[in-house]
Amino acid sequence: MKKSTQLLILFSLICWFNHAQQLSFTNKTEQNLPSISQSERNSMDAKVGDIDGDGDLDVVVAVEFYKNIILVNDGNGKFSNDSFRLPDIEAVQASKPYPYYPYHDTEDIALEDFDNDSDLDLIFVTEDDKVNEFYLNKGNGHFEDNTKEFPAQGVSNGVLAGDFDNDGWMDIIVGNNGQNNYLKNTNGKFVDETMDRLPTTNDITQDLQAVDFDNDGDLDVIVANEKANRLLLNNGQGKFSDATSDYFEEESLLDETREATFADIDNDGDYDVYFANVYMFQQVEPIQRLLVNKGKGNRFADETAERLGFTKEYSIIDGTFSDLDADGDLDLVLLTHVGPKLFQNDGKGYFQDITKTAFGVVKGDGVDTEIADFNGDGKLDIFIGCFRASDILLLQD
């Protein structure tokens, strides 16, 4: 090998090492987010996708009590308020049945192509006023209201889209206060098949996440509840059984959980689980849970203290894994009531708090994290939806 080639390889490795290890972000909220995102409304969830078909990533935000927000990206990570792409909801009665009528207590979003026409459609689920919204993309990034065609209405805090029965159409699971709903997508029409596909429960579900947990070619589901979380295994045809007790110790499931996340934190080829727990309605001390999968046929082990360095220090409402430093392992962003925190993975599933050096001082009662390359520079950025505070945009340096 020529010396010049060796030097080039060495230089590339040094650059990669520095990029992988030295994470830093610039807070571009004031410069790059429109005023509506800084208006201190209650952002409850966000989803990322190319709404207008121009090749960059836009953001949809679920907002309690107001019209939901669509933020369109100019390609450089600067967003405009394009909420006009969603129709205004017209009041159909003079007196208000609830204070924020005709808008809703919106909590969660599914952003997928539900009618298989190659553009992204929207579902918003709603808590207090029990009206879940369904919007189809007209093909130009503008949406028409199909809420009347959506068959499930209830006290809903979570929604999960996935092709659970492997028929090529995106189905829906709605997380409720009570029985969750399974909505089968049949040629773009949703049919409630809950009784045939989900276990009968009476949970207070806050979040749902899907992954092929048992590596059998279908999507399994982790359910985050206020009292007892669940693992549901798919039989390959979209019918789920409760396998919680096969993998988890009961004591690791009884916190009030706001987010449940699958991630292979230690790069051993199986999925571990993080439960983000809070002190809120159930008045239970929030013990955080990073549960490590010990291998096929074995149960999860709670290794939170060893791997994160804390168990009880924070009430955490969201946890998101992503390879932010491009070193081949998953780092962790946690949202607390006072601001976001960033934990860097050492490659073996042990995390170091690098918040001060990576974020500086960033304040906000964060509720949801979305990680994507918003400005097209090849590095992952962070959007944080906040409760009673401005949303936050952190672009990676």
Side-chain angles (χ1 to χ4, degrees):
M1 184 181 293
K2 293 182 179 179
K3 186 175 182 179
S4 59
T5 303
Q6 292 175 323
L7 290 173
L8 179 60
I9 292 173
L10 179 61
F11 177 75
S12 299
L13 288 172
I14 291 171
C15 291
W16 174 86
F17 179 81
N18 287 335
H19 170 61
Q21 299 302 316
Q22 298 177 6
L23 273 173
S24 66
F25 293 80
T26 299
N27 190 339
K28 301 292 285 187
T29 300
E30 293 185 4
Q31 300 92 327
N32 287 29
L33 291 183
S35 58
I36 193 167
S37 298
Q38 302 179 52
S39 59
E40 299 187 1
R41 296 181 179 183
N42 295 348
S43 297
M44 301 304 296
D45 187 43
K47 287 291 184 293
V48 172
D50 185 3
I51 296 295
D52 54 358
D54 65 351
D56 54 42
L57 294 174
D58 312 303
V59 181
V60 181
V61 184
V63 183
E64 279 188 325
F65 315 140
Y66 293 93
K67 183 178 180 179
N68 297 312
I69 295 171
I70 292 179
L71 302 176
V72 167
N73 192 343
D74 69 354
N76 297 308
K78 187 171 185 178
F79 294 87
S80 60
N81 177 14
D82 274 31
S83 304
F84 61 83
R85 294 174 181 270
L86 285 169
D88 294 329
I89 300 177
E90 296 182 4
V92 296
Q93 61 188 76
S95 60
K96 292 186 174 184
Y98 47 89
Y100 35 92
Y101 177 83
Y103 290 100
H104 305 293
D105 181 20
T106 312
E107 299 291 330
D108 204 11
I109 306 169
L111 177 64
E112 297 288 349
D113 181 7
F114 293 114
D115 54 3
N116 279 358
D117 65 351
S118 300
D119 54 39
L120 294 173
D121 310 302
L122 275 165
I123 292 170
F124 299 95
V125 297
T126 298
E127 188 177 21
D128 289 350
D129 56 287
K130 305 179 184 179
V131 179
N132 297 327
E133 301 173 68
F134 178 32
Y135 295 93
L136 288 176
N137 193 325
K138 295 190 287 186
N140 57 0
H142 293 251
F143 296 86
E144 60 183 9
D145 193 344
N146 279 260
T147 297
K148 292 181 180 179
E149 305 297 323
F150 197 73
Q153 306 295 338
V155 179
S156 306
N157 277 289
V159 59
L160 175 68
D163 183 8
F164 300 113
D165 54 6
N166 287 314
D167 67 350
W169 295 84
M170 297 297 290
D171 310 302
I172 287 292
I173 298 176
V174 181
N176 298 317
N177 186 339
Q179 176 65 48
N180 294 336
N181 296 110
Y182 183 106
L183 307 181
K184 176 177 169 53
N185 188 340
T186 303
N187 299 321
K189 301 291 184 181
F190 290 108
V191 179
D192 193 332
E193 297 190 355
T194 301
M195 299 306 294
D196 294 330
R197 296 181 179 274
L198 290 182
T200 300
T201 59
N202 188 28
D203 295 329
I204 305 175
T205 296
Q206 297 293 333
D207 184 50
L208 306 119
Q209 298 289 332
V211 76
D212 184 4
F213 172 76
D214 53 6
N215 294 311
D216 65 351
D218 54 46
L219 291 174
D220 308 299
V221 175
I222 190 85
V223 184
N225 292 317
E226 284 193 12
K227 292 184 178 180
N229 301 322
R230 299 182 189 275
L231 174 64
L232 306 181
L233 294 184
N234 192 339
N235 72 347
Q237 299 176 332
K239 294 186 178 182
F240 291 87
S241 59
D242 191 331
T244 310
S245 61
D246 295 336
Y247 293 93
F248 294 94
E249 300 294 338
E250 184 178 10
E251 65 180 14
S252 67
L253 303 168
L254 300 181
D255 306 284
E256 183 179 350
T257 303
R258 277 297 178 272
E259 178 91 4
T261 305
F262 287 112
D264 182 5
I265 65 165
D266 49 7
N267 284 324
D268 65 351
D270 54 36
Y271 286 101
D272 312 297
V273 172
Y274 177 73
F275 292 135
N277 297 323
V278 298
Y279 183 85
M280 202 171 292
F281 298 112
Q282 301 302 324
Q283 304 293 288
V284 176
E285 183 181 27
I287 301 172
Q288 302 308 317
R289 305 285 184 183
L290 183 58
L291 307 178
V292 177
N293 191 329
K294 306 310 288 187
K296 186 176 180 181
N298 293 324
R299 302 169 73 86
F300 284 92
D302 188 339
E303 299 183 359
T304 313
E306 304 95 304
R307 293 178 181 271
L308 279 182
F310 67 91
T311 57
K312 301 181 182 181
E313 296 176 9
Y314 308 105
S315 184
I316 296 172
I317 205 163
D318 183 78
T320 303
F321 289 93
S322 183
D323 187 5
L324 288 167
D325 53 8
D327 65 351
D329 54 47
L330 296 174
D331 309 300
L332 177 61
V333 178
L334 299 179
L335 299 185
T336 76
H337 292 299
V338 296
K341 300 184 75 67
L342 176 56
F343 290 79
Q344 191 172 35
N345 194 331
D346 70 351
K348 298 179 181 179
Y350 293 85
F351 295 84
Q352 180 183 2
D353 186 345
I354 61 166
T355 305
K356 289 184 180 180
T357 57
F359 289 166
V361 178
V362 178
K363 296 182 179 180
D365 192 350
V367 176
D368 180 74
T369 307
E370 297 299 317
I371 297 175
D373 179 9
F374 292 118
N375 58 359
D377 65 353
K379 293 180 282 189
L380 293 173
D381 311 303
I382 301 173
F383 177 91
I384 300 172
C386 292
F387 187 80
R388 296 178 183 170
S390 170
D391 294 338
I392 297 167
L393 179 64
L394 304 174
L395 297 184
Q396 190 171 165
D397 300 330

